[in-house]
């Protein structure tokens, strides 16, 4: 149940015309009264003899009784209460009871004192009601509306439990402002998937990802096609900014601008500057150069760096100080934004949705200790400057690698928020993790398929050798891994590590011990990416020569020290 207090107004009759009218898109059906301050109040929806003007006069009577100098400038209070799509349809009697509870909780009505404001609840759809009230009590005084929004939210949580509705998480005041109904209707008219506010929030978050100063930030906003207004103090100092979509205009054909703080609390200029204040001087100096770029290497290298940075951040979020963990979580959002911005077509949608969902999880009341997040912010910067990935070959494979490591970081974020009791952030991080799972499947299909085919083509002796390595390095997990389809990709990776001069057994044991594997859908997949990242192996092997009957010298050298016995478990030569 979502109660939302709208902006206060001046015209009772104007709001009644809307509530009893057809709606802006003919979406209102059967508008009628379900409850009011007076059981005998006229209902223009169901009583042919009643008029909107009659209802308006009755609602405004306490206001009109005051001297004009004593009347509130905006005396119309408006609350909408909406149920979730999966909730059952409430009866008129149930909605009437909800309305009575809501006005009492807000301070509009005071049944104990009998001196409340006049109000009416109108239902014009199955899933919600609107409550209109006039802000002068029967005794001529104004109502106590301090913290009315928080009080109606608390009442909604109680009603959800009583009515068997979907239980929503309690907010903590750090969420971004939700689009208004007018913004949603406007987006629908214009054929937009998201409202202008949401599109701007996403674009600004992508623009700030990995930036080190104002010039770079505003250059990215301009490159994204946004209209920008800067608020300048008389001293010449920059105080703030506003952005608009070029084609989002008001009735006067003027662009609709949103301040950064109206998009999200952490997108105000002072909060963005906190990220820059902790940057290393050499990064800030490099960013000031017009043609500066991070170290060369292209999208694949940038994705490897992002994977490493995400992996390094996991233990900090799991066991570090709260301020450091909050900084890493915030920077993880920047990496997701940058990855979504530069992703290939077949992963773009899920990565965008993951970044969009994680935006809520990146903020809490725990103050981020900036500076700890440099590696992740630099990874976001590298992703942006390296450009879009093509989606196949090494680019696509390292995208899968980066998503795999980010999944563990986001999972750690879920646990961190859950321990803190941050219900909304926990739910948002879980949602982001689900989108990352889907993005991973799309990104990993081709490179893991190539590794699987190479593993299937390993000669019998070499495959048996990798089986021995697995059983010796991970005796507790060996049978589970051998039963997974991904085992052949892992076997090919162990052979590649061997051929590159590494000890595959030691590498495998280290990779498995780095972090838990309980949340992995495929243990072998996770180990493949951990091994290929730490050993510096190519992420995409579709063009590599298939290993057949002959192992590389390093592999043969270590193979001489292990001879499979009749059980296949192996024994060491002395």
């Amino acid at each position: 149940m979502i109660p939302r207090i709208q902006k206060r107004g001046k015209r009772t009759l104007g709001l009644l015309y809307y509530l009893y009218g057809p709606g802006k898109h003919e979406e209102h059906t059967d508008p009628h009264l379900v409850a009011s301050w007076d059981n005998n109040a006229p209902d223009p929806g169901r009583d042919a003899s009643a008029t909107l003007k009659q209802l308006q006069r009755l609602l405004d009577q306490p206001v009109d009784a005051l001297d004009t100098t004593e009347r509130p400038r905006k005396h119309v209070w408006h609350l909408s209460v909406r149920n979730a799509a999966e909730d059952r349809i409430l009866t008129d009697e149930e909605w009437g009871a909800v309305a009575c509870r809501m006005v009492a909780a807000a301070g509009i009505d005071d049944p104990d004192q009998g001196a409340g404001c006049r109000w009416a609840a109108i239902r014009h759809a199955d899933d919600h009601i609107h409550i209109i009230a006039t802000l002068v009590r029967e005794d001529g005084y104004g109502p106590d509306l301090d913290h009315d929004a928080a009080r109606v939210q608390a009442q909604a949580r109680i009603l959800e439990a009583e009515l068997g509705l979907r239980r929503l998480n309690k907010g903590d005041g750090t969420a971004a402002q939700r689009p208004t109904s007018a913004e949603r209707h406007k987006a629908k008219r214009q054929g937009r998937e998201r409202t202008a506010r949401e599109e701007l929030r996403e674009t600004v978050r992508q623009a700030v990802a990995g930036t080190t100063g104002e010039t770079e930030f505003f250059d990215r906003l301009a490159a994204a096609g946004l209209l920008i207004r800067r608020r300048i103090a008389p001293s010449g100092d920059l105080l703030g900014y506003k952005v608009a979509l070029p084609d989002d205009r008001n009735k006067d054909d003027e662009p609709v601008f949103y301040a950064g703080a109206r998009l999200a609390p952490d997108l105000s200029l002072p909060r963005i500057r906190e990220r820059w204040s902790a940057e290393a001087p050499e990064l800030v100096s490099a960013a000031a150069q017009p043609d500066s770029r991070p170290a060369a290497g292209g999208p694949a290298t940038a994705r490897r760096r992002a994977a490493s940075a995400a992996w390094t951040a996991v233990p900090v979020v799991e066991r570090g100080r709260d301020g450091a963990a909050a900084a890493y979580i915030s920077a993880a959002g920047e990496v997701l934004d940058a990855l979504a911005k530069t992703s290939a077509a077949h992963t773009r949608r899920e990565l965008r949705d993951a970044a969009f969902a994680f935006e809520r999880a990146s903020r809490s009341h725990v103050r981020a200790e900036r500076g700890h997040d440099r590696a992740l912010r630099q990874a976001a910067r590298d992703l942006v400057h390296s450009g879009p990935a093509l989606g196949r070959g090494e680019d696509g494979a390292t995208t899968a690698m980066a998503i795999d490591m980010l999944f563990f970081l986001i999972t750690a974020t879920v646990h961190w928020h859950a321990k803190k009791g941050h219900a909304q952030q926990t739910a948002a991080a879980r949602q982001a993790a689900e989108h990352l799972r889907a993005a991973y499947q799309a990104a990993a299909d081709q490179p893991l398929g190539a590794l699987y085919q190479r593993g299937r083509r390993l000669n019998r002796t070499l495959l048996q050798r990798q089986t021995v390595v697995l059983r010796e390095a991970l005796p507790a997990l060996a049978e589970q891994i051998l039963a997974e389809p991904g085992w052949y990709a892992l076997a090919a990776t162990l052979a590649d590590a061997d051929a590159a001069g590494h000890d595959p057994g030691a590498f495998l044991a280290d990779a498995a011990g780095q972090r838990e594997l309980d949340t992995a859908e495929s243990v072998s997949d996770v180990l493949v990416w951990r091994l290929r990242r730490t050993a510096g192996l190519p992420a995409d092997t579709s063009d590599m020569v298939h290993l057949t009957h002959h192992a590389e010298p390093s592999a043969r050298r270590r193979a001489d020290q292990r001879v499979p016995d009749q059980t296949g478990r192996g024994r060491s030569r002395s």
Side-chain angles (χ1 to χ4, degrees):
M1 181 173 286
I2 303 172
R4 182 178 300 169
I5 296 175
Q6 313 292 339
K7 291 182 179 179
R8 295 186 186 181
K10 299 178 181 179
R11 297 182 63 245
T12 306
L13 188 60
L15 180 55
L16 287 174
Y17 268 119
Y18 169 72
L19 297 179
Y20 275 97
K24 294 182 178 180
H25 307 282
E26 303 294 329
E27 72 273 21
H28 295 174
T29 58
D30 187 24
H32 60 280
L33 209 67
V34 292
S36 69
W37 87 101
D38 182 353
N39 291 335
N40 297 316
D43 180 8
R46 294 283 178 86
D47 184 352
S49 64
T51 67
L52 294 176
K53 188 66 176 176
Q54 288 175 336
L55 182 56
Q56 174 262 319
R57 284 174 178 167
L58 288 171
L59 286 168
D60 282 345
Q61 207 168 59
V63 180
D64 295 337
L66 294 177
D67 187 273
T68 54
T69 60
E70 297 177 347
R71 296 173 187 173
R73 190 173 67 87
K74 292 185 177 182
H75 71 278
V76 181
W77 185 87
H78 179 198
L79 170 72
S80 63
V81 186
R82 184 180 300 272
N83 279 348
E86 61 268 31
D87 284 336
R88 66 182 179 87
I89 296 175
L90 302 185
T91 65
D92 280 353
E93 289 72 21
E94 287 174 316
W95 273 124
V98 168
C100 292
R101 298 271 289 273
M102 285 294 179
V103 293
I108 291 295
D109 197 7
D110 192 340
D112 294 335
Q113 294 188 14
C117 301
R118 296 189 176 189
W119 59 273
I122 294 96
R123 181 182 189 179
H124 55 210
D126 286 339
D127 64 348
H128 71 279
I129 59 171
H130 292 262
I131 302 173
I132 178 174
T134 49
L135 298 180
V136 176
R137 301 192 322 188
E138 298 286 1
D139 59 7
Y141 290 97
D144 178 11
L145 296 180
D146 288 345
H147 310 295
D148 56 346
R151 294 203 299 255
V152 297
Q153 288 290 346
Q155 185 62 222
R157 304 293 83 79
I158 297 171
L159 286 165
E160 288 163 358
E162 292 181 3
L163 296 172
L165 306 176
R166 176 186 173 192
R167 305 287 292 274
L168 299 183
N169 293 318
K170 183 180 178 181
D172 64 357
T174 63
Q177 184 176 336
R178 294 169 61 93
T180 65
S181 58
E183 290 171 350
R184 292 196 302 273
H185 289 316
K186 186 177 182 179
K188 189 174 181 180
R189 286 198 311 273
Q190 296 175 340
R192 296 182 186 276
E193 183 181 352
R194 293 172 177 167
T195 64
R197 183 192 298 273
E198 291 168 320
E199 286 189 27
L200 287 169
R201 184 187 307 146
E202 179 181 49
T203 304
V204 173
R205 286 184 65 84
Q206 290 181 349
V208 81
T211 55
T212 56
E214 290 173 5
T215 301
E216 184 181 17
F217 173 56
F218 286 111
D219 284 349
R220 287 196 195 176
L221 291 179
L226 300 190
L227 303 179
I228 306 166
R229 281 182 182 170
R230 294 174 173 86
R231 186 160 62 91
I232 308 295
S235 63
D237 294 333
L238 179 64
L239 299 178
Y241 74 98
K242 294 182 178 181
V243 289
L245 297 173
D247 57 348
D248 180 39
R249 296 181 174 268
N250 60 21
K251 58 183 177 60
D252 299 319
D253 199 34
E254 298 170 335
V256 180
F257 281 88
Y258 293 80
R262 286 185 61 204
L263 299 177
D266 56 343
L267 294 182
S268 68
L269 188 61
R271 293 291 299 276
I272 292 174
R273 280 173 169 160
E274 290 178 6
R275 313 184 195 202
W276 299 332
S277 64
E279 291 295 347
E282 62 271 18
L283 292 180
V284 177
S285 175
Q289 303 301 319
D291 298 323
S292 66
R293 291 291 184 273
T301 300
R303 278 154 173 71
R304 279 185 175 272
R305 290 174 182 157
S308 296
W311 190 245
T312 303
V314 171
V316 179
V317 174
E318 288 177 336
R319 298 184 294 275
R321 295 195 315 276
D322 284 350
Y328 274 109
I329 291 170
S330 174
E334 295 191 46
V335 175
L336 280 174
D337 285 322
L339 194 61
K341 181 179 181 179
T342 59
S343 59
H346 66 299
T347 56
R348 186 177 304 137
R349 178 58 182 263
E350 294 293 348
L351 286 172
R352 280 189 65 197
D353 288 346
F356 192 80
F358 192 75
E359 179 265 341
R360 180 67 189 95
S362 65
R363 286 187 308 275
S364 70
H365 284 301
V366 178
R367 190 66 176 228
E369 296 175 4
R370 297 294 179 180
H372 297 282
D373 53 354
R374 284 178 185 167
L376 277 174
R377 296 203 72 244
Q378 180 61 52
R381 180 179 176 79
D382 289 347
L383 287 168
V384 171
H385 284 300
S386 66
L390 298 177
R392 296 300 180 198
E394 190 73 0
D395 282 0
T398 50
T399 297
M401 179 186 293
I403 294 172
D404 185 63
M405 302 302 167
L406 280 167
F407 178 83
F408 280 90
L409 178 55
I410 302 310
T411 301
T413 300
V414 171
H415 297 154
W416 187 83
H417 279 307
K419 286 190 294 185
K420 300 293 177 188
H422 301 162
Q424 289 191 345
Q425 290 89 336
T426 301
R430 282 202 179 101
Q431 186 180 3
E434 289 307 308
H435 287 298
L436 282 180
R437 282 187 191 274
Y440 171 79
Q441 294 297 332
D445 183 60
Q446 183 269 333
L448 283 179
L451 279 169
Y452 173 86
Q453 293 301 329
R454 287 187 55 232
R456 291 283 294 182
R457 292 189 179 98
L458 289 176
N459 68 69
R460 186 173 182 179
T461 302
L462 195 51
L463 183 60
Q464 189 177 39
R465 184 178 300 144
Q466 307 315 327
T467 304
V468 171
V469 169
L470 173 66
R471 284 183 166 139
E472 289 183 349
L474 305 176
L477 291 171
E479 297 309 318
Q480 175 185 342
I481 293 173
L482 287 170
E484 293 179 348
W487 156 242
Y488 290 101
L490 180 58
T493 296
L494 292 171
D496 289 346
D498 199 4
H502 302 292
D503 182 339
F507 255 71
L508 185 59
D510 181 64
Q514 288 174 3
R515 201 75 62 238
E516 57 84 21
L517 292 165
D518 295 339
T519 57
E521 287 190 348
S522 170
V523 175
S524 49
D525 283 11
V526 172
L527 293 175
V528 163
W529 297 125
R530 290 185 190 179
L531 285 168
R532 303 199 80 83
R533 178 182 61 82
T534 55
L537 299 172
D540 180 72
T541 64
S542 52
D543 294 330
M544 290 180 64
V545 176
H546 298 310
L547 295 173
T548 53
H549 294 288
H550 300 289
E552 294 295 326
S554 58
R556 288 201 304 269
R557 187 165 54 250
R558 278 188 295 275
D560 289 340
Q561 300 170 10
R562 292 190 305 270
V563 180
D565 60 20
Q566 292 180 348
T567 66
R569 295 185 179 274
R571 55 184 173 80
S572 298
R573 279 184 177 173
S574 57

